[in-house]
Amino acid sequence: MEQALVIGASGGIGRAVAEEWQARGAVVTGLSRAADGLDVTDPASVARVMGALAGPFDAVFVAVGILAPQGGAPEKQLAQIDPVAMAQVFAVNTIGVAQILTHLPRLLPRKGRSVTGVLTAKVGSIGDNRLGGWYSYRASKAALNQIVHGAAIEIGRTHREAVIAALHPGTVATPFTQGYDPNHGKMPPAEAARALCDVMAGLTPAQTGGFYDYAGQELPW
């Protein structure tokens, strides 16, 4: 039976992915700040929690991120950029997830296919950015995409069948998107989780390092 790991399992999307994998017959290990004390902004916390895992895991999903610091909101104009707030967004969305990924080589099987999905966002696409704004969040996700791409290249040298991909979940109805009401509406978490799990199940080693949405469509960097 597949062994799966969800990091950020207490969040709306992370919890839904864990439940979806369980429904598909996987044995799921979930980690979160609430349940396990995993603070991705604290290297000692990451080392302690991730270091306690044995693996190997056939599937890994990383659902860690913030839209803005607590009480804040994404910037609409350059004049709204606050260096302290921007550093907090990068500490979680980029540096924190990068620290998680440093443990992947030890936790993935050396032989046989494995898949790691890292939750990023379409607004992190530079090629798709036509509206501007959201400077900290966009930049943190663009930087994360680069880290995911580089990690896929490095890990692919020793784990030939590993797939590591940046994933855009769509706009999902979770506390994360509360107060943001796009014209196209929001997906329920369970629907988004099914779509993301389908994408991860279908990706091949030739697609490792790519950036895909919940429908499996490749997104521009």
Side-chain angles (χ1 to χ4, degrees):
M1 185 175 289
E2 186 178 67
Q3 298 288 327
L5 172 65
V6 177
I7 300 163
S10 64
I13 297 176
R15 183 185 303 111
V17 167
E19 291 172 352
E20 178 64 22
W21 269 341
Q22 286 174 335
R24 297 185 186 202
V27 176
V28 179
T29 298
L31 298 178
S32 69
R33 182 168 186 166
D36 306 284
L38 177 60
D39 179 358
V40 299
T41 66
D42 178 3
S45 173
V46 175
R48 174 180 58 82
V49 178
M50 296 298 295
L53 297 172
F57 295 98
D58 308 290
V60 179
F61 186 67
V62 184
V64 174
I66 59 172
L67 193 59
Q70 189 171 9
E75 312 94 341
K76 294 183 179 180
Q77 299 173 334
L78 285 167
Q80 295 176 333
I81 291 176
D82 176 352
V84 174
M86 178 176 275
Q88 289 179 301
V89 174
F90 269 80
V92 176
N93 293 355
T94 311
I95 301 168
V97 178
Q99 290 185 87
I100 294 292
L101 297 182
T102 64
H103 292 266
L104 271 186
R106 181 180 63 84
L107 296 174
L108 298 177
R110 284 295 187 108
K111 294 183 179 180
R113 180 185 180 274
S114 65
V115 60
T116 298
V118 180
L119 204 63
T120 66
K122 188 176 181 180
V123 296
S125 166
I126 296 173
D128 186 70
N129 183 1
R130 297 175 180 84
L131 297 175
W134 288 39
Y135 291 99
S136 298
Y137 186 70
R138 285 184 186 275
S140 71
K141 292 299 188 177
L144 177 57
N145 286 348
Q146 180 69 279
I147 290 168
V148 172
H149 186 73
I153 293 171
E154 178 182 342
I155 292 173
R157 296 181 184 127
T158 53
H159 300 66
R160 300 288 184 178
E161 297 179 67
V163 181
I164 301 170
L167 299 177
H168 166 60
T171 305
V172 185
T174 68
F176 188 90
T177 61
Q178 190 173 5
Y180 174 61
D181 298 303
N183 294 331
H184 56 266
K186 301 178 185 179
M187 280 190 291
E191 180 182 339
R194 284 193 297 272
L196 290 168
C197 289
D198 285 343
V199 171
M200 284 185 278
L203 291 174
T204 69
Q207 294 173 289
T208 192
F211 182 20
Y212 305 95
D213 70 8
Y214 57 92
Q217 297 298 309
E218 190 167 9
L219 297 173
W221 296 114

